[in-house]
Amino acid sequence: MVLFPNCKINLGLHIVRKREDGYHDLETVFYPIALKDALEAIRTESQGIQFTSSGLPVAGDPNDNLCVKAYHLLQKDFPELPGLQVHLHKHIPMGAGLGGGSADGAFMLLLINRLCNLGLNQEQLIRYALQLGSDCPFFILNQPCFAEGRGERMQPIALDLSEYHFVLINPGIHVSTAQAFAGIRPKKPEQPITTITALPVTEWKNRLVNDFEKHLTDRHPAIGAAKAELYAQGALYAAMTGSGSTVYGIFRKADRPRIPARENWQVFETE
């Protein structure tokens, strides 16, 4: 069985408070984007999971990959789970604010549920996904959502951007979580994100803000250069997604920007 985990962008992102447990509460809108990895699994006669990957290099111990963790998470409650040979082809840049790793983990849950006929419903899958990471439950729903808390409290919203297309620029910068939060002073936004996203896209500029963007752009000018390039090419709205460093632009379908080649830049275009 093959599934194609997609990524997400953040339409606005506010850090509203620091919690007693050390985490931060946020508000954002998650929007799914059709930039995808490929995830394949087949049953084997042996026990456990055999995991391989290709495409973009996946750093770290393979046993820490969320696909592997998803298998072991389900195996605890379903000890009869068959052995699986799993291959992940990475196309979504990692550590880039796109949620690619979270998508892989969530789609692994979906794949095992279907391949092994576990019969888990959406609510159960969301509970498992939350054990993998705060962003993972979104990819079980995989539709536009207003998210609160650590990103795990979600409410689907009516937001359709299908009349536009997206250009994403990853400037080749890895932003650590500690670095992203170093310049943050939590505060409530003056206007709810969902009020802004209900406006036409042409009115989002200077209204829809990612709290991480300013201080990370100050630290990494390439992020600002990528955003400026998208606006220069005619983007209706451009912003950094998540805690960076990928920047996306929303364009009219008729507009086909030509992003100049730059060292370390990866450019993706998708509907």
Side-chain angles (χ1 to χ4, degrees), residues 53-89:
S53 65
S54 59
L56 295 174
V58 180
D61 186 341
N63 291 320
D64 292 330
N65 189 280
L66 287 183
C67 294
V68 177
K69 289 186 174 182
Y71 176 88
H72 291 306
L73 182 63
L74 289 176
Q75 191 182 44
K76 290 179 183 178
D77 292 338
F78 298 90
E80 72 282 6
L81 207 63
L84 293 180
Q85 184 174 333
V86 176
H87 185 79
L88 173 66
H89 183 77

CSV table of all heavy atoms in Angstrom, one decimal, residues 53-89:
chain,number,residue,atom,x,y,z
A,53,SER,N,14.7,4.6,3.8
A,53,SER,CA,14.3,5.9,3.2
A,53,SER,C,15.2,6.2,2.0
A,53,SER,O,16.3,5.7,1.9
A,53,SER,CB,14.3,7.0,4.3
A,53,SER,OG,15.6,7.2,4.7
A,54,SER,N,14.7,7.1,1.2
A,54,SER,CA,15.4,7.7,0.1
A,54,SER,C,15.0,9.1,-0.1
A,54,SER,O,14.2,9.7,0.6
A,54,SER,CB,15.1,6.8,-1.2
A,54,SER,OG,13.7,6.9,-1.5
A,55,GLY,N,15.5,9.8,-1.2
A,55,GLY,CA,15.2,11.2,-1.4
A,55,GLY,C,16.1,12.0,-0.5
A,55,GLY,O,17.3,11.8,-0.3
A,56,LEU,N,15.5,13.1,0.0
A,56,LEU,CA,16.2,13.9,0.9
A,56,LEU,C,16.7,13.1,2.1
A,56,LEU,O,16.0,12.3,2.7
A,56,LEU,CB,15.3,15.1,1.4
A,56,LEU,CG,14.9,16.1,0.4
A,56,LEU,CD1,13.9,17.1,1.0
A,56,LEU,CD2,16.0,16.8,-0.2
A,57,PRO,N,18.0,13.3,2.5
A,57,PRO,CA,18.5,12.5,3.7
A,57,PRO,C,17.8,12.8,4.9
A,57,PRO,O,17.5,14.0,5.3
A,57,PRO,CB,20.0,13.0,3.7
A,57,PRO,CG,20.0,14.3,3.1
A,57,PRO,CD,19.0,14.3,2.0
A,58,VAL,N,17.5,11.8,5.7
A,58,VAL,CA,16.8,11.9,7.0
A,58,VAL,C,17.8,11.7,8.1
A,58,VAL,O,18.4,10.6,8.2
A,58,VAL,CB,15.7,10.8,7.1
A,58,VAL,CG1,15.0,10.9,8.4
A,58,VAL,CG2,14.7,10.9,5.9
A,59,ALA,N,18.0,12.8,8.8
A,59,ALA,CA,19.0,12.8,9.9
A,59,ALA,C,18.6,12.0,11.1
A,59,ALA,O,17.4,11.8,11.3
A,59,ALA,CB,19.4,14.2,10.3
A,60,GLY,N,19.5,11.5,11.9
A,60,GLY,CA,19.2,10.9,13.1
A,60,GLY,C,19.0,9.4,13.0
A,60,GLY,O,19.2,8.8,11.9
A,61,ASP,N,18.8,8.7,14.1
A,61,ASP,CA,18.6,7.3,14.2
A,61,ASP,C,17.2,6.9,13.6
A,61,ASP,O,16.2,7.5,13.9
A,61,ASP,CB,18.5,6.9,15.7
A,61,ASP,CG,18.5,5.4,16.0
A,61,ASP,OD1,18.1,4.7,15.0
A,61,ASP,OD2,18.8,5.0,17.1
A,62,PRO,N,17.2,6.0,12.6
A,62,PRO,CA,16.0,5.5,12.0
A,62,PRO,C,14.9,5.1,13.0
A,62,PRO,O,13.7,5.2,12.7
A,62,PRO,CB,16.4,4.4,11.1
A,62,PRO,CG,17.9,4.7,10.8
A,62,PRO,CD,18.4,5.3,12.0
A,63,ASN,N,15.4,4.6,14.1
A,63,ASN,CA,14.4,4.2,15.2
A,63,ASN,C,13.6,5.3,15.8
A,63,ASN,O,12.6,5.1,16.4
A,63,ASN,CB,15.1,3.4,16.3
A,63,ASN,CG,15.6,2.0,15.8
A,63,ASN,OD1,14.9,1.3,15.0
A,63,ASN,ND2,16.8,1.6,16.2
A,64,ASP,N,14.1,6.5,15.6
A,64,ASP,CA,13.5,7.7,16.1
A,64,ASP,C,12.5,8.3,15.0
A,64,ASP,O,11.8,9.3,15.3
A,64,ASP,CB,14.5,8.8,16.5
A,64,ASP,CG,15.3,8.4,17.7
A,64,ASP,OD1,14.7,7.6,18.6
A,64,ASP,OD2,16.4,8.8,17.9
A,65,ASN,N,12.5,7.8,13.8
A,65,ASN,CA,11.6,8.3,12.8
A,65,ASN,C,10.2,8.1,13.2
A,65,ASN,O,9.8,7.0,13.8
A,65,ASN,CB,11.9,7.6,11.5
A,65,ASN,CG,11.1,8.2,10.3
A,65,ASN,OD1,10.0,8.0,10.1
A,65,ASN,ND2,11.8,9.0,9.6
A,66,LEU,N,9.3,9.1,13.0
A,66,LEU,CA,7.9,9.0,13.4
A,66,LEU,C,7.2,7.8,12.7
A,66,LEU,O,6.2,7.4,13.3
A,66,LEU,CB,7.2,10.3,13.2
A,66,LEU,CG,7.6,11.5,14.1
A,66,LEU,CD1,6.8,12.7,13.8
A,66,LEU,CD2,7.5,11.1,15.6
A,67,CYS,N,7.6,7.4,11.6
A,67,CYS,CA,7.0,6.2,11.0
A,67,CYS,C,7.2,5.0,11.8
A,67,CYS,O,6.3,4.2,12.0
A,67,CYS,CB,7.5,6.0,9.6
A,67,CYS,SG,7.1,7.3,8.4
A,68,VAL,N,8.4,4.8,12.3
A,68,VAL,CA,8.8,3.7,13.1
A,68,VAL,C,8.0,3.8,14.5
A,68,VAL,O,7.5,2.8,15.0
A,68,VAL,CB,10.3,3.6,13.3
A,68,VAL,CG1,10.6,2.5,14.3
A,68,VAL,CG2,11.0,3.4,12.0
A,69,LYS,N,8.0,5.0,15.0
A,69,LYS,CA,7.3,5.2,16.3
A,69,LYS,C,5.8,4.9,16.2
A,69,LYS,O,5.2,4.4,17.1
A,69,LYS,CB,7.6,6.6,16.8
A,69,LYS,CG,9.0,6.9,17.3
A,69,LYS,CD,9.2,8.2,17.9
A,69,LYS,CE,10.6,8.4,18.5
A,69,LYS,NZ,10.7,9.7,19.2
A,70,ALA,N,5.2,5.3,15.0
A,70,ALA,CA,3.8,5.0,14.8
A,70,ALA,C,3.5,3.5,14.8
A,70,ALA,O,2.5,3.1,15.4
A,70,ALA,CB,3.4,5.7,13.5
A,71,TYR,N,4.4,2.8,14.2
A,71,TYR,CA,4.2,1.3,14.2
A,71,TYR,C,4.3,0.8,15.6
A,71,TYR,O,3.4,0.0,16.0
A,71,TYR,CB,5.3,0.7,13.3
A,71,TYR,CG,5.3,-0.9,13.4
A,71,TYR,CD1,4.5,-1.5,12.5
A,71,TYR,CD2,6.0,-1.6,14.3
A,71,TYR,CE1,4.4,-2.9,12.5
A,71,TYR,CE2,6.0,-3.0,14.3
A,71,TYR,CZ,5.1,-3.6,13.4
A,71,TYR,OH,5.1,-5.0,13.5
A,72,HIS,N,5.3,1.1,16.4
A,72,HIS,CA,5.4,0.6,17.7
A,72,HIS,C,4.3,1.1,18.7
A,72,HIS,O,3.9,0.4,19.6
A,72,HIS,CB,6.8,1.0,18.3
A,72,HIS,CG,7.9,0.3,17.7
A,72,HIS,ND1,8.0,-1.0,17.6
A,72,HIS,CD2,9.1,0.8,17.1
A,72,HIS,CE1,9.1,-1.4,16.9
A,72,HIS,NE2,9.8,-0.3,16.6
A,73,LEU,N,3.8,2.3,18.4
A,73,LEU,CA,2.7,2.8,19.2
A,73,LEU,C,1.4,2.0,19.0
A,73,LEU,O,0.8,1.6,20.0
A,73,LEU,CB,2.4,4.3,18.8
A,73,LEU,CG,1.3,5.0,19.5
A,73,LEU,CD1,1.6,5.2,21.0
A,73,LEU,CD2,1.1,6.4,18.9
A,74,LEU,N,1.1,1.6,17.8
A,74,LEU,CA,0.0,0.7,17.5
A,74,LEU,C,0.2,-0.7,18.0
A,74,LEU,O,-0.7,-1.4,18.4
A,74,LEU,CB,-0.4,0.8,16.0
A,74,LEU,CG,-0.9,2.1,15.5
A,74,LEU,CD1,-1.1,2.0,14.0
A,74,LEU,CD2,-2.3,2.4,16.2
A,75,GLN,N,1.5,-1.1,17.9
A,75,GLN,CA,1.8,-2.5,18.2
A,75,GLN,C,1.5,-2.8,19.7
A,75,GLN,O,1.2,-3.9,20.1
A,75,GLN,CB,3.3,-2.8,17.9
A,75,GLN,CG,3.6,-4.3,18.0
A,75,GLN,CD,5.1,-4.5,17.7
A,75,GLN,OE1,6.0,-3.7,18.2
A,75,GLN,NE2,5.4,-5.5,17.0
A,76,LYS,N,1.7,-1.7,20.6
A,76,LYS,CA,1.4,-1.9,22.0
A,76,LYS,C,-0.1,-2.3,22.2
A,76,LYS,O,-0.4,-3.1,23.1
A,76,LYS,CB,1.7,-0.6,22.7
A,76,LYS,CG,3.1,-0.2,22.9
A,76,LYS,CD,3.3,1.1,23.6
A,76,LYS,CE,4.7,1.6,23.6
A,76,LYS,NZ,4.9,2.9,24.3
A,77,ASP,N,-1.0,-1.7,21.5
A,77,ASP,CA,-2.4,-2.0,21.6
A,77,ASP,C,-2.9,-3.1,20.7
A,77,ASP,O,-4.0,-3.7,20.9
A,77,ASP,CB,-3.3,-0.8,21.4
A,77,ASP,CG,-3.1,0.3,22.4
A,77,ASP,OD1,-2.6,-0.1,23.6
A,77,ASP,OD2,-3.3,1.5,22.2
A,78,PHE,N,-2.1,-3.4,19.7
A,78,PHE,CA,-2.4,-4.5,18.7
A,78,PHE,C,-1.2,-5.4,18.6
A,78,PHE,O,-0.5,-5.4,17.6
A,78,PHE,CB,-2.8,-3.9,17.4
A,78,PHE,CG,-4.1,-3.0,17.4
A,78,PHE,CD1,-3.9,-1.7,17.6
A,78,PHE,CD2,-5.3,-3.6,17.3
A,78,PHE,CE1,-5.1,-0.8,17.7
A,78,PHE,CE2,-6.5,-2.8,17.3
A,78,PHE,CZ,-6.3,-1.4,17.5
A,79,PRO,N,-1.0,-6.3,19.6
A,79,PRO,CA,0.2,-7.1,19.6
A,79,PRO,C,0.3,-8.1,18.4
A,79,PRO,O,1.3,-8.6,18.1
A,79,PRO,CB,0.2,-7.8,20.9
A,79,PRO,CG,-1.2,-7.7,21.4
A,79,PRO,CD,-1.7,-6.4,20.8
A,80,GLU,N,-0.9,-8.3,17.8
A,80,GLU,CA,-0.9,-9.2,16.6
A,80,GLU,C,-0.5,-8.5,15.3
A,80,GLU,O,-0.6,-9.1,14.2
A,80,GLU,CB,-2.3,-9.8,16.5
A,80,GLU,CG,-3.4,-8.9,16.0
A,80,GLU,CD,-4.0,-7.9,17.0
A,80,GLU,OE1,-3.4,-7.9,18.1
A,80,GLU,OE2,-4.9,-7.2,16.7
A,81,LEU,N,-0.1,-7.3,15.4
A,81,LEU,CA,0.2,-6.5,14.2
A,81,LEU,C,1.3,-7.2,13.4
A,81,LEU,O,2.3,-7.7,14.0
A,81,LEU,CB,0.8,-5.1,14.7
A,81,LEU,CG,0.6,-3.9,13.7
A,81,LEU,CD1,-0.9,-3.6,13.4
A,81,LEU,CD2,1.3,-2.7,14.2
A,82,PRO,N,1.1,-7.4,12.1
A,82,PRO,CA,2.1,-8.2,11.3
A,82,PRO,C,3.3,-7.4,11.1
A,82,PRO,O,3.4,-6.1,11.3
A,82,PRO,CB,1.3,-8.4,10.0
A,82,PRO,CG,0.4,-7.2,9.9
A,82,PRO,CD,-0.1,-6.9,11.3
A,83,GLY,N,4.4,-8.1,10.7
A,83,GLY,CA,5.6,-7.4,10.3
A,83,GLY,C,5.4,-6.6,9.1
A,83,GLY,O,4.6,-6.9,8.2
A,84,LEU,N,6.1,-5.4,9.0
A,84,LEU,CA,5.9,-4.5,7.8
A,84,LEU,C,7.3,-4.1,7.3
A,84,LEU,O,8.2,-3.8,8.1
A,84,LEU,CB,5.1,-3.3,8.2
A,84,LEU,CG,3.7,-3.4,8.6
A,84,LEU,CD1,3.1,-2.1,8.9
A,84,LEU,CD2,2.9,-4.1,7.4
A,85,GLN,N,7.4,-4.1,6.0
A,85,GLN,CA,8.6,-3.5,5.4
A,85,GLN,C,8.1,-2.1,4.9
A,85,GLN,O,7.2,-2.0,4.1
A,85,GLN,CB,9.1,-4.3,4.2
A,85,GLN,CG,10.4,-3.8,3.6
A,85,GLN,CD,10.9,-4.8,2.5
A,85,GLN,OE1,10.7,-6.0,2.6
A,85,GLN,NE2,11.6,-4.2,1.5
A,86,VAL,N,8.8,-1.1,5.4
A,86,VAL,CA,8.3,0.3,5.1
A,86,VAL,C,9.4,1.1,4.4
A,86,VAL,O,10.6,1.1,4.8
A,86,VAL,CB,7.9,1.0,6.4
A,86,VAL,CG1,7.5,2.5,6.2
A,86,VAL,CG2,6.7,0.3,7.1
A,87,HIS,N,9.0,1.8,3.3
A,87,HIS,CA,10.0,2.7,2.7
A,87,HIS,C,9.4,4.1,2.6
A,87,HIS,O,8.2,4.3,2.1
A,87,HIS,CB,10.3,2.2,1.3
A,87,HIS,CG,11.4,3.0,0.6
A,87,HIS,ND1,12.7,2.9,0.9
A,87,HIS,CD2,11.3,4.1,-0.3
A,87,HIS,CE1,13.4,3.8,0.2
A,87,HIS,NE2,12.6,4.5,-0.5
A,88,LEU,N,10.1,5.1,3.0
A,88,LEU,CA,9.7,6.5,2.9
A,88,LEU,C,10.6,7.2,1.9
A,88,LEU,O,11.9,7.2,2.0
A,88,LEU,CB,9.9,7.1,4.3
A,88,LEU,CG,9.6,8.7,4.3
A,88,LEU,CD1,8.2,9.0,4.0
A,88,LEU,CD2,10.0,9.2,5.7
A,89,HIS,N,10.0,7.9,0.9
A,89,HIS,CA,10.8,8.7,0.0
A,89,HIS,C,10.5,10.2,0.4
A,89,HIS,O,9.3,10.6,0.3
A,89,HIS,CB,10.4,8.5,-1.5
A,89,HIS,CG,11.2,9.3,-2.4
A,89,HIS,ND1,12.5,9.0,-2.8
A,89,HIS,CD2,10.9,10.5,-3.1
A,89,HIS,CE1,12.9,9.9,-3.6
A,89,HIS,NE2,12.0,10.8,-3.8
